[in-house]
Amino acid sequence: MRHKDSDGVEGGGAAQPVADLNLLRTFLAVHRSGSFTAAAELLGLSQPTVTTQIRALERQTGRELFQRLPRGVAPTPVAHDLAARVAGPLDALAAATGHEAAPHERAAPVHLAGPAELLCTRVLPALAPLTAGGVRLRVGPGLTEPLLDELRAGRHDLVIATFRPRGRALASVPLSDEEFVLVAAPVWADRVKERLALEGPAALHPVPLVTYAEDLPIARRYWRHVFGARLSCPAAVTVPDLRGVLAAVVAGAGFSVLPRYLCQAELASGALVPLHEPEDPPINTAYLVQRPGRPDNPDVTRVRDLLIEAARAW
């Protein structure tokens, strides 16, 4: 009778249950880490060995467990189900036999992505306490649409989205609301604030507009919501990071529309002045979106729960 050893290579002799356990341990490491390379690092194996073991397990089960992607792998529904069944027993066995992983090896990094400004000013400070408990984070900025595509492909565990994902494939919960405010430095506010109240948005035409992108997404929404009009002036400065927009406006480059949380300190100090304070300012809701399937990495749940708790105070 032929069997496969721990590397999935066929050999002679009786079948060894330990080999199957090794395959399952490797499978769980790949499922938790999202790539063969990361799993190899966690297990102290070579990447070809991990690949061979996963192929062996796929032959044994007769089902594809991972979709190979340009970067990493995405678990199939079969893999999610298998991970849910074996994770608990394998972790318990490791603990009972004294082979429980060290804290920094116990779980794969949590891959989190979202808007750069929100990540840097609110999310990372909120998650800082988790690192002392051994949680590892891999944080990346980006726009919502491509980030959601990457989430579906398995590159992220959690994504903070600027809109609710369409369909039912991705589970999401409202995280926080951000209010938008029309602002400028005092040098411009002194010239146009009173005129804006009397003449409406036309008073801002001579003032340079600083914005996030050429198509003025945030400013156009503000104009529609507050003034009921179409914004027609072009951007004088575009910066694909709202922190850069904030810096330019504080320096006197012009006016902009910014999330209040991002410029709260500048408003309090007087470095920025609100040009208009409507009773019903535009508000955008951020959503916390989770990777499809049940998370086998307990740290994903820890990050998710802490973000939801912290957002209540934002």
Tab-separated table of all heavy atoms in Angstrom, residues 210-270:
chain	number	residue	atom	x	y	z
A	210	VAL	N	-9.320	73.714	-3.838
A	210	VAL	CA	-8.379	72.622	-3.586
A	210	VAL	C	-9.213	71.362	-3.340
A	210	VAL	O	-10.121	71.371	-2.497
A	210	VAL	CB	-7.492	72.912	-2.353
A	210	VAL	CG1	-6.444	71.818	-2.178
A	210	VAL	CG2	-6.825	74.274	-2.490
A	211	THR	N	-8.910	70.297	-4.054
A	211	THR	CA	-9.786	69.138	-3.963
A	211	THR	C	-9.028	67.834	-4.101
A	211	THR	O	-7.827	67.807	-4.421
A	211	THR	CB	-10.890	69.213	-5.040
A	211	THR	OG1	-11.838	68.155	-4.845
A	211	THR	CG2	-10.293	69.116	-6.428
A	212	TYR	N	-9.737	66.754	-3.868
A	212	TYR	CA	-9.169	65.411	-3.825
A	212	TYR	C	-8.875	64.859	-5.211
A	212	TYR	O	-7.904	64.128	-5.404
A	212	TYR	CB	-10.166	64.504	-3.095
A	212	TYR	CG	-9.748	63.067	-2.936
A	212	TYR	CD1	-8.950	62.680	-1.868
A	212	TYR	CD2	-10.167	62.087	-3.831
A	212	TYR	CE1	-8.570	61.350	-1.701
A	212	TYR	CE2	-9.790	60.762	-3.681
A	212	TYR	CZ	-8.995	60.399	-2.618
A	212	TYR	OH	-8.616	59.089	-2.459
A	213	ALA	N	-9.725	65.184	-6.184
A	213	ALA	CA	-9.592	64.623	-7.523
A	213	ALA	C	-10.136	65.610	-8.554
A	213	ALA	O	-10.878	66.538	-8.226
A	213	ALA	CB	-10.344	63.292	-7.638
A	214	GLU	N	-9.772	65.396	-9.785
A	214	GLU	CA	-10.132	66.318	-10.855
A	214	GLU	C	-11.639	66.441	-11.040
A	214	GLU	O	-12.148	67.496	-11.431
A	214	GLU	CB	-9.485	65.858	-12.167
A	214	GLU	CG	-9.296	66.950	-13.199
A	214	GLU	CD	-8.257	67.984	-12.784
A	214	GLU	OE1	-7.153	67.583	-12.379
A	214	GLU	OE2	-8.569	69.184	-12.867
A	215	ASP	N	-12.380	65.357	-10.757
A	215	ASP	CA	-13.831	65.415	-10.940
A	215	ASP	C	-14.568	65.947	-9.713
A	215	ASP	O	-15.808	65.932	-9.678
A	215	ASP	CB	-14.381	64.037	-11.321
A	215	ASP	CG	-14.090	62.971	-10.267
A	215	ASP	OD1	-13.288	63.243	-9.347
A	215	ASP	OD2	-14.669	61.875	-10.361
A	216	LEU	N	-13.850	66.430	-8.730
A	216	LEU	CA	-14.409	67.142	-7.564
A	216	LEU	C	-15.504	66.357	-6.841
A	216	LEU	O	-16.568	66.909	-6.530
A	216	LEU	CB	-14.985	68.494	-8.011
A	216	LEU	CG	-14.230	69.291	-9.078
A	216	LEU	CD1	-14.996	70.551	-9.427
A	216	LEU	CD2	-12.822	69.622	-8.614
A	217	PRO	N	-15.302	65.091	-6.502
A	217	PRO	CA	-16.413	64.289	-5.969
A	217	PRO	C	-17.012	64.827	-4.679
A	217	PRO	O	-18.242	64.887	-4.527
A	217	PRO	CB	-15.780	62.905	-5.768
A	217	PRO	CG	-14.312	63.163	-5.645
A	217	PRO	CD	-14.033	64.335	-6.524
A	218	ILE	N	-16.181	65.237	-3.724
A	218	ILE	CA	-16.698	65.687	-2.428
A	218	ILE	C	-17.331	67.064	-2.558
A	218	ILE	O	-18.429	67.318	-2.043
A	218	ILE	CB	-15.577	65.694	-1.370
A	218	ILE	CG1	-15.010	64.281	-1.193
A	218	ILE	CG2	-16.083	66.225	-0.036
A	218	ILE	CD1	-13.818	64.207	-0.264
A	219	ALA	N	-16.647	67.966	-3.258
A	219	ALA	CA	-17.173	69.326	-3.413
A	219	ALA	C	-18.478	69.323	-4.208
A	219	ALA	O	-19.415	70.059	-3.871
A	219	ALA	CB	-16.132	70.209	-4.087
A	220	ARG	N	-18.546	68.530	-5.268
A	220	ARG	CA	-19.782	68.480	-6.070
A	220	ARG	C	-20.947	67.996	-5.223
A	220	ARG	O	-22.069	68.518	-5.340
A	220	ARG	CB	-19.599	67.561	-7.279
A	220	ARG	CG	-18.792	68.174	-8.400
A	220	ARG	CD	-18.868	67.355	-9.678
A	220	ARG	NE	-18.260	66.043	-9.516
A	220	ARG	CZ	-18.929	64.898	-9.415
A	220	ARG	NH1	-20.258	64.910	-9.436
A	220	ARG	NH2	-18.296	63.757	-9.283
A	221	ARG	N	-20.711	67.015	-4.384
A	221	ARG	CA	-21.792	66.528	-3.528
A	221	ARG	C	-22.247	67.609	-2.553
A	221	ARG	O	-23.441	67.768	-2.302
A	221	ARG	CB	-21.314	65.289	-2.756
A	221	ARG	CG	-22.389	64.744	-1.842
A	221	ARG	CD	-21.912	63.544	-1.073
A	221	ARG	NE	-22.931	63.126	-0.121
A	221	ARG	CZ	-22.761	62.179	0.784
A	221	ARG	NH1	-21.610	61.538	0.858
A	221	ARG	NH2	-23.724	61.864	1.620
A	222	TYR	N	-21.284	68.338	-2.003
A	222	TYR	CA	-21.644	69.421	-1.081
A	222	TYR	C	-22.509	70.448	-1.785
A	222	TYR	O	-23.515	70.918	-1.238
A	222	TYR	CB	-20.369	70.068	-0.537
A	222	TYR	CG	-20.620	71.053	0.587
A	222	TYR	CD1	-20.511	70.672	1.918
A	222	TYR	CD2	-20.974	72.382	0.317
A	222	TYR	CE1	-20.743	71.574	2.948
A	222	TYR	CE2	-21.207	73.287	1.340
A	222	TYR	CZ	-21.089	72.879	2.648
A	222	TYR	OH	-21.334	73.779	3.669
A	223	TRP	N	-22.123	70.841	-2.998
A	223	TRP	CA	-22.896	71.846	-3.741
A	223	TRP	C	-24.320	71.370	-3.995
A	223	TRP	O	-25.276	72.135	-3.839
A	223	TRP	CB	-22.177	72.151	-5.065
A	223	TRP	CG	-21.558	73.512	-5.120
A	223	TRP	CD1	-21.890	74.539	-5.957
A	223	TRP	CD2	-20.498	74.026	-4.291
A	223	TRP	NE1	-21.112	75.647	-5.715
A	223	TRP	CE2	-20.248	75.351	-4.692
A	223	TRP	CE3	-19.735	73.492	-3.252
A	223	TRP	CZ2	-19.276	76.153	-4.099
A	223	TRP	CZ3	-18.765	74.266	-2.656
A	223	TRP	CH2	-18.549	75.577	-3.079
A	224	ARG	N	-24.480	70.119	-4.412
A	224	ARG	CA	-25.823	69.602	-4.681
A	224	ARG	C	-26.667	69.570	-3.410
A	224	ARG	O	-27.835	69.968	-3.408
A	224	ARG	CB	-25.747	68.184	-5.266
A	224	ARG	CG	-25.252	68.100	-6.689
A	224	ARG	CD	-25.561	66.740	-7.295
A	224	ARG	NE	-25.072	65.644	-6.460
A	224	ARG	CZ	-23.882	65.072	-6.582
A	224	ARG	NH1	-23.042	65.519	-7.504
A	224	ARG	NH2	-23.531	64.078	-5.805
A	225	HIS	N	-26.060	69.082	-2.322
A	225	HIS	CA	-26.810	68.878	-1.089
A	225	HIS	C	-27.149	70.197	-0.392
A	225	HIS	O	-28.284	70.379	0.087
A	225	HIS	CB	-26.003	67.991	-0.137
A	225	HIS	CG	-26.718	67.651	1.134
A	225	HIS	ND1	-27.478	66.511	1.271
A	225	HIS	CD2	-26.794	68.302	2.336
A	225	HIS	CE1	-27.988	66.475	2.499
A	225	HIS	NE2	-27.582	67.539	3.166
A	226	VAL	N	-26.197	71.128	-0.338
A	226	VAL	CA	-26.371	72.352	0.443
A	226	VAL	C	-26.941	73.483	-0.395
A	226	VAL	O	-27.878	74.183	0.019
A	226	VAL	CB	-25.034	72.785	1.075
A	226	VAL	CG1	-25.182	74.136	1.777
A	226	VAL	CG2	-24.568	71.725	2.074
A	227	PHE	N	-26.401	73.681	-1.593
A	227	PHE	CA	-26.799	74.822	-2.413
A	227	PHE	C	-27.820	74.460	-3.478
A	227	PHE	O	-28.414	75.352	-4.110
A	227	PHE	CB	-25.572	75.446	-3.093
A	227	PHE	CG	-24.540	75.960	-2.122
A	227	PHE	CD1	-23.233	75.521	-2.182
A	227	PHE	CD2	-24.887	76.884	-1.143
A	227	PHE	CE1	-22.266	75.996	-1.293
A	227	PHE	CE2	-23.937	77.365	-0.248
A	227	PHE	CZ	-22.626	76.924	-0.326
A	228	GLY	N	-28.044	73.151	-3.696
A	228	GLY	CA	-28.970	72.738	-4.743
A	228	GLY	C	-28.524	73.198	-6.105
A	228	GLY	O	-29.352	73.516	-6.967
A	229	ALA	N	-27.232	73.258	-6.317
A	229	ALA	CA	-26.684	73.777	-7.567
A	229	ALA	C	-25.529	72.889	-8.019
A	229	ALA	O	-24.991	72.078	-7.253
A	229	ALA	CB	-26.202	75.214	-7.387
A	230	ARG	N	-25.142	73.083	-9.272
A	230	ARG	CA	-24.026	72.333	-9.847
A	230	ARG	C	-22.742	73.140	-9.684
A	230	ARG	O	-22.710	74.334	-9.977
A	230	ARG	CB	-24.294	72.056	-11.329
A	230	ARG	CG	-23.199	71.270	-12.036
A	230	ARG	CD	-23.641	70.972	-13.457
A	230	ARG	NE	-22.587	70.284	-14.199
A	230	ARG	CZ	-21.644	70.892	-14.895
A	230	ARG	NH1	-21.609	72.227	-14.940
A	230	ARG	NH2	-20.737	70.196	-15.549
A	231	LEU	N	-21.701	72.490	-9.201
A	231	LEU	CA	-20.408	73.139	-9.052
A	231	LEU	C	-19.731	73.209	-10.413
A	231	LEU	O	-19.508	72.185	-11.060
A	231	LEU	CB	-19.536	72.355	-8.066
A	231	LEU	CG	-18.116	72.869	-7.845
A	231	LEU	CD1	-18.130	74.279	-7.270
A	231	LEU	CD2	-17.349	71.925	-6.918
A	232	SER	N	-19.398	74.406	-10.839
A	232	SER	CA	-18.863	74.582	-12.187
A	232	SER	C	-17.400	75.003	-12.217
A	232	SER	O	-16.758	74.924	-13.258
A	232	SER	CB	-19.693	75.624	-12.951
A	232	SER	OG	-19.719	76.861	-12.252
A	233	CYS	N	-16.829	75.466	-11.103
A	233	CYS	CA	-15.448	75.952	-11.145
A	233	CYS	C	-14.470	74.779	-11.148
A	233	CYS	O	-14.715	73.753	-10.512
A	233	CYS	CB	-15.177	76.878	-9.970
A	233	CYS	SG	-15.294	76.096	-8.354
A	234	PRO	N	-13.370	74.903	-11.888
A	234	PRO	CA	-12.373	73.826	-11.927
A	234	PRO	C	-11.485	73.858	-10.688
A	234	PRO	O	-11.447	74.846	-9.955
A	234	PRO	CB	-11.562	74.158	-13.183
A	234	PRO	CG	-11.640	75.656	-13.265
A	234	PRO	CD	-13.015	76.027	-12.760
A	235	ALA	N	-10.777	72.779	-10.496
A	235	ALA	CA	-9.856	72.701	-9.368
A	235	ALA	C	-8.578	73.481	-9.660
A	235	ALA	O	-8.042	73.421	-10.771
A	235	ALA	CB	-9.516	71.245	-9.063
A	236	ALA	N	-8.106	74.220	-8.673
A	236	ALA	CA	-6.804	74.875	-8.797
A	236	ALA	C	-5.686	73.937	-8.362
A	236	ALA	O	-4.594	73.948	-8.925
A	236	ALA	CB	-6.772	76.147	-7.945
A	237	VAL	N	-5.973	73.105	-7.334
A	237	VAL	CA	-5.005	72.137	-6.822
A	237	VAL	C	-5.736	70.824	-6.577
A	237	VAL	O	-6.819	70.815	-5.987
A	237	VAL	CB	-4.364	72.623	-5.499
A	237	VAL	CG1	-3.357	71.594	-4.980
A	237	VAL	CG2	-3.706	73.981	-5.670
A	238	THR	N	-5.163	69.719	-7.030
A	238	THR	CA	-5.700	68.402	-6.686
A	238	THR	C	-4.630	67.608	-5.955
A	238	THR	O	-3.459	67.600	-6.350
A	238	THR	CB	-6.151	67.605	-7.925
A	238	THR	OG1	-5.036	67.364	-8.774
A	238	THR	CG2	-7.227	68.364	-8.693
A	239	VAL	N	-5.036	66.967	-4.869
A	239	VAL	CA	-4.146	66.127	-4.066
A	239	VAL	C	-4.911	64.851	-3.729
A	239	VAL	O	-5.945	64.921	-3.064
A	239	VAL	CB	-3.719	66.831	-2.754
A	239	VAL	CG1	-2.658	66.012	-2.031
A	239	VAL	CG2	-3.226	68.240	-3.022
A	240	PRO	N	-4.442	63.675	-4.154
A	240	PRO	CA	-5.187	62.438	-3.905
A	240	PRO	C	-5.045	61.920	-2.477
A	240	PRO	O	-4.921	60.718	-2.243
A	240	PRO	CB	-4.584	61.466	-4.920
A	240	PRO	CG	-3.204	61.938	-5.107
A	240	PRO	CD	-3.252	63.436	-4.989
A	241	ASP	N	-5.043	62.840	-1.533
A	241	ASP	CA	-5.000	62.502	-0.110
A	241	ASP	C	-5.569	63.711	0.623
A	241	ASP	O	-5.040	64.821	0.495
A	241	ASP	CB	-3.565	62.229	0.337
A	241	ASP	CG	-3.495	61.671	1.767
A	241	ASP	OD1	-4.145	62.252	2.666
A	241	ASP	OD2	-2.776	60.673	1.979
A	242	LEU	N	-6.638	63.505	1.367
A	242	LEU	CA	-7.297	64.636	2.023
A	242	LEU	C	-6.405	65.322	3.043
A	242	LEU	O	-6.610	66.497	3.356
A	242	LEU	CB	-8.598	64.168	2.685
A	242	LEU	CG	-9.715	63.773	1.722
A	242	LEU	CD1	-10.933	63.269	2.486
A	242	LEU	CD2	-10.111	64.946	0.833
A	243	ARG	N	-5.400	64.623	3.549
A	243	ARG	CA	-4.458	65.287	4.450
A	243	ARG	C	-3.632	66.318	3.690
A	243	ARG	O	-3.277	67.367	4.226
A	243	ARG	CB	-3.557	64.250	5.122
A	243	ARG	CG	-4.296	63.346	6.100
A	243	ARG	CD	-3.478	62.128	6.461
A	243	ARG	NE	-3.210	61.302	5.285
A	243	ARG	CZ	-2.478	60.190	5.311
A	243	ARG	NH1	-1.933	59.788	6.455
A	243	ARG	NH2	-2.279	59.491	4.216
A	244	GLY	N	-3.341	66.046	2.425
A	244	GLY	CA	-2.658	67.017	1.588
A	244	GLY	C	-3.548	68.192	1.257
A	244	GLY	O	-3.108	69.347	1.223
A	245	VAL	N	-4.832	67.911	1.000
A	245	VAL	CA	-5.798	68.988	0.772
A	245	VAL	C	-5.868	69.892	1.995
A	245	VAL	O	-5.840	71.115	1.893
A	245	VAL	CB	-7.191	68.400	0.449
A	245	VAL	CG1	-8.237	69.513	0.355
A	245	VAL	CG2	-7.148	67.614	-0.852
A	246	LEU	N	-5.940	69.278	3.165
A	246	LEU	CA	-5.988	70.036	4.414
A	246	LEU	C	-4.759	70.930	4.553
A	246	LEU	O	-4.879	72.130	4.879
A	246	LEU	CB	-6.074	69.072	5.594
A	246	LEU	CG	-5.935	69.655	6.998
A	246	LEU	CD1	-7.057	70.651	7.284
A	246	LEU	CD2	-5.924	68.538	8.041
A	247	ALA	N	-3.587	70.385	4.308
A	247	ALA	CA	-2.358	71.165	4.446
A	247	ALA	C	-2.344	72.350	3.487
A	247	ALA	O	-1.932	73.462	3.856
A	247	ALA	CB	-1.141	70.268	4.209
A	248	ALA	N	-2.796	72.126	2.254
A	248	ALA	CA	-2.803	73.201	1.272
A	248	ALA	C	-3.774	74.306	1.656
A	248	ALA	O	-3.481	75.502	1.520
A	248	ALA	CB	-3.146	72.642	-0.111
A	249	VAL	N	-4.945	73.928	2.150
A	249	VAL	CA	-5.950	74.930	2.523
A	249	VAL	C	-5.484	75.717	3.745
A	249	VAL	O	-5.643	76.948	3.799
A	249	VAL	CB	-7.315	74.249	2.779
A	249	VAL	CG1	-8.340	75.263	3.270
A	249	VAL	CG2	-7.821	73.598	1.492
A	250	VAL	N	-4.910	75.056	4.727
A	250	VAL	CA	-4.383	75.756	5.899
A	250	VAL	C	-3.314	76.762	5.479
A	250	VAL	O	-3.216	77.870	6.029
A	250	VAL	CB	-3.811	74.758	6.923
A	250	VAL	CG1	-3.013	75.475	8.003
A	250	VAL	CG2	-4.938	73.951	7.567
A	251	ALA	N	-2.533	76.414	4.473
A	251	ALA	CA	-1.472	77.305	3.998
A	251	ALA	C	-1.981	78.464	3.157
A	251	ALA	O	-1.204	79.339	2.784
A	251	ALA	CB	-0.446	76.508	3.198
A	252	GLY	N	-3.294	78.473	2.859
A	252	GLY	CA	-3.870	79.588	2.125
A	252	GLY	C	-4.029	79.374	0.636
A	252	GLY	O	-4.240	80.327	-0.119
A	253	ALA	N	-3.968	78.094	0.187
A	253	ALA	CA	-4.069	77.821	-1.244
A	253	ALA	C	-5.474	78.034	-1.790
A	253	ALA	O	-5.657	78.183	-3.001
A	253	ALA	CB	-3.619	76.390	-1.536
A	254	GLY	N	-6.485	78.044	-0.934
A	254	GLY	CA	-7.854	78.222	-1.406
A	254	GLY	C	-8.852	77.624	-0.439
A	254	GLY	O	-8.570	77.496	0.751
A	255	PHE	N	-10.015	77.232	-0.959
A	255	PHE	CA	-11.054	76.633	-0.117
A	255	PHE	C	-11.239	75.177	-0.509
A	255	PHE	O	-10.807	74.727	-1.574
A	255	PHE	CB	-12.371	77.395	-0.238
A	255	PHE	CG	-13.156	77.082	-1.495
A	255	PHE	CD1	-14.165	76.125	-1.492
A	255	PHE	CD2	-12.889	77.749	-2.696
A	255	PHE	CE1	-14.892	75.831	-2.638
A	255	PHE	CE2	-13.612	77.472	-3.843
A	255	PHE	CZ	-14.619	76.512	-3.821
A	256	SER	N	-11.909	74.425	0.359
A	256	SER	CA	-12.200	73.029	0.065
A	256	SER	C	-13.350	72.551	0.922
A	256	SER	O	-13.855	73.284	1.797
A	256	SER	CB	-10.970	72.144	0.309
A	256	SER	OG	-11.201	70.837	-0.197
A	257	VAL	N	-13.778	71.337	0.664
A	257	VAL	CA	-14.766	70.643	1.488
A	257	VAL	C	-14.057	69.437	2.097
A	257	VAL	O	-13.513	68.596	1.371
A	257	VAL	CB	-15.982	70.197	0.664
A	257	VAL	CG1	-16.963	69.437	1.561
A	257	VAL	CG2	-16.664	71.388	0.011
A	258	LEU	N	-14.051	69.351	3.432
A	258	LEU	CA	-13.310	68.303	4.132
A	258	LEU	C	-14.189	67.626	5.183
A	258	LEU	O	-15.139	68.238	5.694
A	258	LEU	CB	-12.085	68.900	4.833
A	258	LEU	CG	-10.955	69.409	3.939
A	258	LEU	CD1	-9.950	70.207	4.761
A	258	LEU	CD2	-10.268	68.243	3.246
A	259	PRO	N	-13.874	66.379	5.522
A	259	PRO	CA	-14.561	65.755	6.654
A	259	PRO	C	-14.221	66.523	7.936
A	259	PRO	O	-13.064	66.872	8.166
A	259	PRO	CB	-13.977	64.339	6.695
A	259	PRO	CG	-13.342	64.124	5.368
A	259	PRO	CD	-12.909	65.460	4.876
A	260	ARG	N	-15.226	66.771	8.756
A	260	ARG	CA	-14.994	67.549	9.966
A	260	ARG	C	-13.972	66.881	10.881
A	260	ARG	O	-13.165	67.558	11.507
A	260	ARG	CB	-16.312	67.771	10.710
A	260	ARG	CG	-16.173	68.677	11.939
A	260	ARG	CD	-17.514	68.960	12.589
A	260	ARG	NE	-18.336	69.843	11.784
A	260	ARG	CZ	-18.269	71.182	11.814
A	260	ARG	NH1	-17.391	71.776	12.604
A	260	ARG	NH2	-19.064	71.893	11.049
A	261	TYR	N	-13.989	65.532	10.963
A	261	TYR	CA	-13.048	64.868	11.871
A	261	TYR	C	-11.604	65.156	11.476
A	261	TYR	O	-10.720	65.236	12.331
A	261	TYR	CB	-13.291	63.357	11.883
A	261	TYR	CG	-12.682	62.602	10.710
A	261	TYR	CD1	-11.345	62.203	10.729
A	261	TYR	CD2	-13.444	62.285	9.592
A	261	TYR	CE1	-10.783	61.521	9.658
A	261	TYR	CE2	-12.901	61.614	8.520
A	261	TYR	CZ	-11.566	61.238	8.566
A	261	TYR	OH	-11.010	60.572	7.496
A	262	LEU	N	-11.365	65.332	10.172
A	262	LEU	CA	-9.992	65.516	9.707
A	262	LEU	C	-9.456	66.907	10.016
A	262	LEU	O	-8.245	67.074	10.216
A	262	LEU	CB	-9.932	65.251	8.196
A	262	LEU	CG	-8.551	65.175	7.567
A	262	LEU	CD1	-7.749	64.008	8.125
A	262	LEU	CD2	-8.660	65.059	6.047
A	263	CYS	N	-10.353	67.896	10.056
A	263	CYS	CA	-9.894	69.276	10.275
A	263	CYS	C	-10.389	69.851	11.596
A	263	CYS	O	-10.381	71.071	11.792
A	263	CYS	CB	-10.329	70.168	9.109
A	263	CYS	SG	-12.106	70.240	8.815
A	264	GLN	N	-10.829	68.997	12.506
A	264	GLN	CA	-11.380	69.464	13.779
A	264	GLN	C	-10.372	70.307	14.561
A	264	GLN	O	-10.708	71.359	15.110
A	264	GLN	CB	-11.827	68.275	14.630
A	264	GLN	CG	-12.609	68.654	15.863
A	264	GLN	CD	-13.960	69.268	15.532
A	264	GLN	OE1	-14.739	68.696	14.782
A	264	GLN	NE2	-14.220	70.445	16.057
A	265	ALA	N	-9.127	69.878	14.612
A	265	ALA	CA	-8.112	70.621	15.369
A	265	ALA	C	-7.854	71.983	14.738
A	265	ALA	O	-7.700	72.996	15.447
A	265	ALA	CB	-6.813	69.816	15.431
A	266	GLU	N	-7.825	72.048	13.419
A	266	GLU	CA	-7.586	73.320	12.727
A	266	GLU	C	-8.768	74.269	12.892
A	266	GLU	O	-8.584	75.488	13.020
A	266	GLU	CB	-7.311	73.058	11.246
A	266	GLU	CG	-5.964	72.430	10.952
A	266	GLU	CD	-5.916	70.941	11.278
A	266	GLU	OE1	-6.986	70.338	11.523
A	266	GLU	OE2	-4.812	70.373	11.286
A	267	LEU	N	-9.971	73.734	12.926
A	267	LEU	CA	-11.145	74.574	13.179
A	267	LEU	C	-11.107	75.111	14.609
A	267	LEU	O	-11.434	76.281	14.850
A	267	LEU	CB	-12.423	73.770	12.946
A	267	LEU	CG	-12.746	73.405	11.482
A	267	LEU	CD1	-13.916	72.429	11.424
A	267	LEU	CD2	-13.074	74.661	10.672
A	268	ALA	N	-10.709	74.275	15.539
A	268	ALA	CA	-10.662	74.712	16.935
A	268	ALA	C	-9.595	75.772	17.167
A	268	ALA	O	-9.781	76.686	17.981
A	268	ALA	CB	-10.418	73.502	17.844
A	269	SER	N	-8.480	75.654	16.459
A	269	SER	CA	-7.381	76.608	16.660
A	269	SER	C	-7.550	77.895	15.866
A	269	SER	O	-6.855	78.874	16.114
A	269	SER	CB	-6.057	75.959	16.269
A	269	SER	OG	-5.993	75.765	14.853
A	270	GLY	N	-8.461	77.887	14.898
A	270	GLY	CA	-8.635	79.054	14.050
A	270	GLY	C	-7.785	79.030	12.794
A	270	GLY	O	-7.843	79.966	11.985
